[in-house]
Amino acid sequence: PGKYTLTYFPVRGRGEATRMLLADQKQEWTEDVVTGEIWQKGDLKKSCVFGQVPRFQDGDFVLVQSNAILRHLARNHGLYGQDAREATLLDMVNDGVEDLRVKYARLIYQNYDAGKAEYIEALPAQLRPFENLLAQNDGGKGFIVGKKISFVDYNLLDILQLHLVLAPNCLDSFPLLAAYVQRLNARPHLKTYLESEGRKQRPINNNGKQ
Ligand code: 0HH
């Protein structure tokens, strides 16, 4: 077992970008699976700084907040750009992914049946900025920022995968994003992870909606 442990519900949710980063970077980690029963007891919640998971352990360093976990791993594994300017651009794009993730979570957990059609209608305007960002970086043939993969690529890939489940045609008018998803999904270690039983069996969200 490696030194990394992810403590989270058995869903993709706010854990999956971290899992994809770790798998693609050939890191081993332990899944500390939080069942509803464990969470109900309340001890784990009390032990988390903001009363929420994911929680992540790097040896004896314990942290929470999914985006902080991604950034920590980015610093550990050289996935935070090649200079300060790229790091700032990565922060900017990651905040854009977070904004979309919050909207997606609101749909899934608060307004799925009544809100889905309207959400899908508004989706192109949400995805267009990422298509534009890709186009500006090496004509869209590489990564979201810079010449190397970064933590934001895993986070963006995750949110795009989620939307392809929600609305399978959502990238039809975004050829660069569609190719980006295919290209990243095909990275050998990531592909092995994506095809693993653990990943295939793991629901996307905590309420059965997707
Ligand atoms: N900012 C934090 C992060 O990025 C947010 C963590 C968070 O929301 O890490 N954690 C949730 C589980 S993931 C948690 O610990 C989201 C899935 C459930 C969302 C439900 C929203 C319902 C709205 C009607 N939740 C348990 C808890 O807070 O007790």
Side-chain angles (χ1 to χ4, degrees), residues 34-105:
V34 182
T35 60
E37 195 185 349
I38 292 172
W39 191 250
Q40 296 304 322
K41 286 188 188 144
D43 301 338
L44 174 59
K45 186 175 177 72
K46 273 187 219 139
S47 82
C48 295
V49 181
F50 295 102
Q52 294 192 308
V53 285
R55 183 181 74 179
F56 191 80
Q57 288 167 256
D58 175 355
D60 59 7
F61 187 37
V62 182
L63 62 160
V64 297
Q65 291 291 0
S66 56
N67 289 294
I69 294 164
L70 285 173
R71 288 185 164 97
H72 175 70
L73 289 169
R75 293 185 186 98
N76 276 4
H77 297 284
L79 308 169
Y80 217 138
Q82 61 170 14
D83 55 25
R85 192 181 168 115
E86 272 191 18
T88 299
L89 285 174
L90 286 167
D91 285 342
M92 183 184 87
V93 181
N94 199 62
D95 281 0
V97 174
E98 174 64 19
D99 286 350
L100 182 53
R101 187 178 297 282
V102 167
K103 289 173 188 145
Y104 172 82

Side-chain angles (χ1 to χ4, degrees), residues 156-172:
L156 178 56
L157 177 62
D158 176 59
I159 204 77
L160 293 172
Q161 289 173 344
L162 300 181
H163 283 89
L164 283 167
V165 173
L166 180 76
N169 299 320
C170 70
L171 297 185
D172 286 1

Side-chain angles (χ1 to χ4, degrees), residues 172-202:
D172 286 1
S173 41
F174 300 117
L176 296 178
L177 283 177
Y180 171 85
V181 168
Q182 294 308 315
R183 193 162 64 242
L184 291 184
N185 282 345
R187 289 168 66 87
H189 293 95
L190 191 50
K191 184 170 193 283
T192 300
Y193 170 69
L194 293 173
E195 291 172 356
S196 68
E197 277 312 301
R199 155 80 181 210
K200 282 195 284 189
Q201 311 265 321
R202 190 178 288 128

Side-chain angles (χ1 to χ4, degrees), residues 1-5 18-31 56-58 72-74 76-79 154 189-190 193:
K3 56 178 180 162
Y4 293 143
T5 300
T18 292
R19 295 184 182 107
M20 291 200 290
L21 181 157
L22 290 169
D24 193 51
Q25 296 297 316
K26 304 185 273 272
Q27 299 301 305
E28 291 184 11
W29 74 96
T30 302
E31 288 280 345
F56 191 80
Q57 288 167 256
D58 175 355
H72 175 70
L73 289 169
N76 276 4
H77 297 284
L79 308 169
Y154 301 109
H189 293 95
L190 191 50
Y193 170 69

